[in-house]
Amino acid sequence: MPDKMRKLGSTDINVTACCLGTMTWGEQNTEEEGHAQMDYAVERGINFFDTAEMYAVPPKPETQGRTEEIIGTWFKKTGKRKDIILASKISGRSQMTWTRDGEVELTRQTKEQVDEAVEKSLKRLQTDYIDLYQLHWPDRPAATFGTQLAPRQYEVEYEAFEAILSHLDAHVKAGRIRHIGLSNENAYGVMRFIAESEKNSLPRIQSIQNAYNLVNRTFEGGLEECCVREKVSLLAYSPLAQGYLSGKYRNGALPKGSRKQLFERLQRYEKPGAEAAINSYLDLAAKYGIDPAQFALRFCDTRHFMGSTIIGATTMDQLKTCIDAFQLEWTEDMENDVNTLHLKQPSPCP
């Protein structure tokens, strides 16, 4: 792993350009395998882990919180909590009510639910603080995960931006959270949160974790300028388009044990035009003699606005391949070829 550290937003925290994603631990990966991945990542110089109260994926009551528990047992076993910048997330508006005790109509970002979520995550993680606590998706109805927002949804009541920041501020002041971030958010949400933080002296948004990859460059619209000017770091998830940009699903292939084979929930990358676009990038990587997964990851890493690129793996071979990608040279010819393809088929998988 090259010595590449980047500031997280406007904080004094430095994170590695490669962030270890964890969402398969407790479902596709065992606790032992999760521990082995963390050991190897640290050995390679990675200091940044990302998780969520919702994980493992796919979300279900039986595995909810298990990923955080696996990280917690690793912290206890290794004593390396202080060596890691730890990010976790609170779920937004959803019907996954199993994340909360008692009966709630919806999972929300109200004061009571924020308090409960923070307390539970700290317990599972076996730590007394979280470095970066992210809103996994908005409390308000919004166009997330490649969906469209129906006009009538604008009328739905939601927790005010100032209120959510106030709920989080209590935990920042108590030392349970160091900094806050967003995920699956749009330009409107970013700027509203920043406006309320400035107006009311509340914690400032430091990061946004959104999907970003060769077939989804929608961040480069309004969000890019918002985040660059306001010093909000992009933490890119799905840099391999849920595995499609590795080439493992090409020509209808369905590897045993893959997410598509196990869960069939990759529709975001199966939209009209997606297959042709994905294949064009796989062919481009082949032209340069580069593993397609590494080509896709290095593309993300070389963006001027990139805070950290989140990788995920179910095998140690996959993990090594992903980490090695950050050492590859990215040339002007590669950049030009990628942008030519993008102009022909802009973001078919938003």
Side-chain angles (χ1 to χ4, degrees):
M1 183 75 183
D3 295 327
K4 291 197 296 185
M5 304 291 287
R6 296 170 183 168
K7 288 287 184 185
L8 180 66
S10 59
T11 75
D12 60 357
I13 292 178
N14 291 310
V15 296
T16 42
C18 176
C19 175
L20 181 64
T22 64
M23 69 181 188
T24 60
W25 305 350
E27 178 65 56
Q28 290 175 265
N29 289 107
T30 65
E31 179 178 52
E32 181 180 6
E33 289 168 341
H35 284 195
Q37 287 195 27
M38 286 183 277
D39 288 338
Y40 182 73
V42 170
E43 179 184 322
R44 293 294 302 272
I46 293 173
N47 76 340
F48 195 17
F49 296 174
D50 177 73
T51 191
E53 67 164 350
M54 184 191 79
Y55 296 166
V57 294
K60 56 187 178 182
E62 295 80 8
T63 57
Q64 187 264 319
R66 182 63 184 134
T67 305
E68 287 186 328
E69 291 174 349
I70 290 171
I71 296 171
T73 57
W74 184 82
F75 283 151
K76 182 177 181 180
K77 180 178 73 172
T78 64
K80 292 184 176 179
R81 172 66 187 95
K82 292 184 179 179
D83 299 331
I84 302 301
I85 304 303
L86 175 65
S88 194
K89 312 181 197 74
I90 177 175
S91 299
R93 177 185 292 261
S94 75
Q95 295 181 339
M96 292 187 292
T97 55
W98 59 77
T99 59
R100 304 288 172 254
D101 293 334
E103 293 186 8
V104 294
E105 182 179 352
L106 292 169
T107 296
R108 295 285 305 276
Q109 290 163 357
T110 62
K111 180 183 186 304
E112 294 76 17
Q113 293 201 34
V114 169
D115 292 347
E116 180 183 347
V118 171
E119 180 182 355
K120 286 180 173 179
S121 285
L122 291 173
K123 183 177 181 179
R124 288 189 292 260
L125 290 162
Q126 299 196 46
T127 184
D128 55 6
Y129 69 100
I130 296 169
D131 297 286
L132 178 67
Y133 197 60
Q134 305 155 101
L135 305 176
H136 205 159
W137 58 87
D139 185 79
R140 70 189 192 281
T144 56
F145 305 106
T147 63
Q148 296 296 316
L149 181 64
R152 64 181 179 278
Q153 289 181 291
Y154 287 104
E155 302 172 7
V156 175
E157 172 273 338
Y158 60 87
E159 196 78 352
F161 294 94
E162 178 188 357
I164 294 173
L165 290 175
S166 295
H167 308 334
L168 295 169
D169 186 41
H171 295 282
V172 173
K173 289 177 176 174
R176 291 183 285 268
I177 295 171
R178 293 180 68 189
H179 300 287
I180 62 172
L182 304 173
S183 184
N184 298 294
E185 187 54 274
N186 59 31
Y188 172 75
V190 170
M191 296 311 297
R192 288 290 289 112
F193 273 115
I194 289 174
E196 292 299 337
S197 68
E198 292 178 344
K199 177 182 176 182
N200 299 288
S201 299
L202 291 166
R204 187 177 179 85
I205 297 301
Q206 301 296 346
S207 65
I208 180 169
Q209 184 177 148
N210 276 24
Y212 182 82
N213 52 57
L214 286 166
V215 290
N216 180 1
R217 296 173 62 172
T218 54
F219 178 84
E220 296 173 16
L223 266 171
E224 179 186 340
E225 183 174 9
C226 290
C227 292
V228 170
R229 291 190 183 278
E230 299 296 338
K231 294 183 172 59
V232 176
S233 295
L234 173 62
L235 310 179
Y237 79 79
S238 286
L240 299 183
Q242 294 186 318
Y244 269 100
L245 288 169
S246 73
K248 67 182 180 181
Y249 298 126
R250 190 166 195 174
N251 297 323
L254 194 62
K256 185 176 181 180
S258 65
R259 268 189 282 170
K260 181 172 174 58
Q261 186 265 327
L262 291 172
F263 312 122
E264 188 55 67
R265 13 183 355 257
L266 308 189
Q267 288 77 16
R268 187 172 189 172
Y269 297 98
E270 297 171 347
K271 296 179 178 180
E275 183 177 10
I278 289 166
N279 285 341
S280 71
Y281 291 112
L282 298 178
D283 291 340
L284 183 58
K287 169 187 169 181
Y288 286 102
I290 298 175
D291 178 278
Q294 293 184 323
F295 187 86
L297 288 167
R298 190 69 173 110
F299 160 77
C300 292
D301 181 51
T302 53
R303 303 307 93 185
H304 72 92
F305 48 76
M306 190 60 62
S308 191
T309 301
I310 303 171
I311 61 170
T314 54
T315 70
M316 290 301 292
D317 284 343
Q318 290 174 345
L319 184 59
K320 183 179 187 301
T321 295
C322 288
I323 296 175
D324 287 347
F326 292 79
Q327 298 175 322
L328 295 175
E329 179 186 8
W330 186 260
T331 69
E332 185 176 352
D333 286 343
M334 292 177 184
E335 183 71 19
N336 290 338
D337 284 348
V338 161
N339 288 329
T340 296
L341 288 178
H342 175 61
L343 288 174
K344 292 178 179 178
Q345 50 204 10
S347 296
C349 306

